[in-house]
Amino acid sequence: MLVCFASDLHGRPTLYEQLEKIITDARPALVILGGDNHIDGDLDDPVGTQVGFIRSDLMPRIRRWLAAYPTMRVATILGNHDWRCAEIETQRSHDAGDIVLLDPRRPWSWNGTTFVGYSNTPPTPYWVKDFERLDLPTDAAPETGGAIWDAAAQRAVQAPPESYFTSRPSIAEDLDAIQPPAGRWILVCHAPPFDSKLDRLPHLDFPIGSQAVRRFISRTRPAIALHGHIHESPQVTGDFRDHVGGVLCVNPGQGRDELHAVLFDSDDPERTLRHSVFG
């Protein structure tokens, strides 16, 4: 099964147009979006901006793809720039059959492969915190907080870092609760594994990926692990792929004007993997 994976498009029309060209040319059976798919949501109006983008741009675009290629499917996770209200809206599209929202609690199987999605990342300087968690339960809470979506109040509310992060399971605790599916399966996880070729920024001399994700991949051994989040990492390290515990892990990175995406055959990811920019 031919799979196309891209992450961190951040609502940029030119990137979505290039993705559509890849779909037209390559005809993948499955397109996976790896989180941070939407425009950044306004702190004063998350629904009007981010949910509005999903309703007026993203889902009409995806429905056009599905109308043109009826046997194709589109799956997604969320990312650290996404509000919880965007997840709620994506769940509505999932329930309508327009997109598959990958969730660690409900692995999705299709064409002989099972997919497990995980959206949370370790804390970042960005102010949306709905999909951020402490990496390990022993980690200290960050000094700065941000905001989360309050579904009851229908608005963004402040999330003080100590109370917010310590009141929620860490990424390690979340992943420890996941039982790997039987047979061939693929992990789609916004955060890349710690200390790899996939988690480096140009202005930092240390890795910023997830230790919990690295441990999970080594323990559960998916056929391939697909990541995003750190846009510049392939340019910094010179590679968009690495091996963690013998598992092929991929972060295509992302550009502002040139789409970074990968294509691979799910039956043989190692030998078929290719990148839209790096080949």
Side-chain angles (χ1 to χ4, degrees), residues 209-226:
S210 167
Q211 296 183 57
V213 168
R214 184 181 184 95
R215 295 176 188 178
F216 179 72
I217 291 169
S218 297
R219 174 175 67 86
T220 60
R221 301 185 60 80
I224 184 173
L226 304 174

Side-chain angles (χ1 to χ4, degrees), residues 104 107 116-118 135-136 171-181 185-189 191 193-194 210-222 224-225 227 244-245 247 249:
V116 173
Y118 187 75
D135 193 27
L136 306 177
I171 294 174
E173 290 167 309
D174 277 349
L175 295 179
D176 283 345
I178 298 175
Q179 291 300 315
W185 69 284
I186 290 174
L187 174 66
V188 185
C189 178
F194 177 79
S210 167
Q211 296 183 57
V213 168
R214 184 181 184 95
R215 295 176 188 178
F216 179 72
I217 291 169
S218 297
R219 174 175 67 86
T220 60
R221 301 185 60 80
I224 184 173
H227 308 277
V244 171
V247 174
C249 301

Side-chain angles (χ1 to χ4, degrees), residues 193-213:
F194 177 79
D195 197 17
S196 64
K197 296 176 182 178
L198 314 180
D199 71 332
R200 301 299 179 111
L201 286 172
H203 60 284
L204 299 177
D205 61 359
F206 52 86
I208 59 170
S210 167
Q211 296 183 57
V213 168

Side-chain angles (χ1 to χ4, degrees), residues 6-248:
S7 186
D8 302 279
L9 277 69
H10 288 279
R12 297 188 184 110
T14 183
L15 298 184
Y16 276 102
E17 288 161 9
Q18 292 173 63
L19 178 57
E20 185 164 344
K21 186 176 188 307
I22 290 177
I23 293 170
T24 301
D25 293 344
R27 303 289 181 90
L30 175 64
V31 175
I32 303 176
L33 301 175
D36 288 355
N37 311 318
H38 320 117
I39 60 173
D40 286 351
D42 191 306
L43 181 62
D44 294 323
D45 189 11
V47 170
T49 51
Q50 204 162 82
V51 174
F53 169 78
I54 295 171
R55 291 174 177 172
S56 66
D57 189 299
L58 180 59
M59 289 315 305
R61 188 184 299 271
I62 288 174
R63 285 193 288 268
R64 289 198 302 271
W65 297 347
L66 298 178
Y69 309 107
T71 61
M72 189 181 76
R73 301 295 299 273
V74 179
T76 192
I77 59 171
L78 284 299
N80 64 296
H81 280 247
D82 295 324
W83 291 102
R84 184 70 65 184
C85 56
E87 181 190 44
I88 294 169
E89 183 65 25
T90 305
Q91 181 65 51
R92 293 191 181 103
S93 297
H94 172 100
D95 294 343
D98 293 329
I99 197 169
V100 176
L101 178 57
L102 298 174
D103 187 302
R105 297 162 296 184
R106 51 176 193 228
W108 176 64
S109 296
W110 192 57
N111 275 0
T113 302
T114 300
F115 298 84
V116 173
Y118 187 75
S119 300
N120 294 324
T121 73
T124 77
Y126 190 59
W127 41 266
V128 177
K129 299 300 176 188
D130 277 319
F131 293 98
E132 291 188 5
R133 298 290 184 271
L134 295 180
D135 193 27
L136 306 177
T138 53
D139 288 349
E143 294 182 359
T144 56
I148 58 173
W149 174 252
D150 186 322
Q154 287 291 292
R155 61 182 178 88
V157 298
Q158 291 300 307
E162 185 68 31
S163 60
Y164 174 73
F165 283 102
T166 58
S167 65
R168 287 159 173 80
S170 66
I171 294 174
E173 290 167 309
D174 277 349
L175 295 179
D176 283 345
I178 298 175
Q179 291 300 315
R184 184 172 62 248
W185 69 284
I186 290 174
L187 174 66
V188 185
C189 178
H190 193 62
F194 177 79
D195 197 17
S196 64
K197 296 176 182 178
L198 314 180
D199 71 332
R200 301 299 179 111
L201 286 172
H203 60 284
L204 299 177
D205 61 359
F206 52 86
I208 59 170
S210 167
Q211 296 183 57
V213 168
R214 184 181 184 95
R215 295 176 188 178
F216 179 72
I217 291 169
S218 297
R219 174 175 67 86
T220 60
R221 301 185 60 80
I224 184 173
L226 304 174
H227 308 277
H229 189 40
I230 313 299
H231 302 194
E232 304 91 340
S233 195
Q235 287 91 345
V236 174
T237 67
D239 211 335
F240 62 91
R241 72 184 90 193
D242 202 352
H243 289 83
V244 171
V247 174
L248 175 63

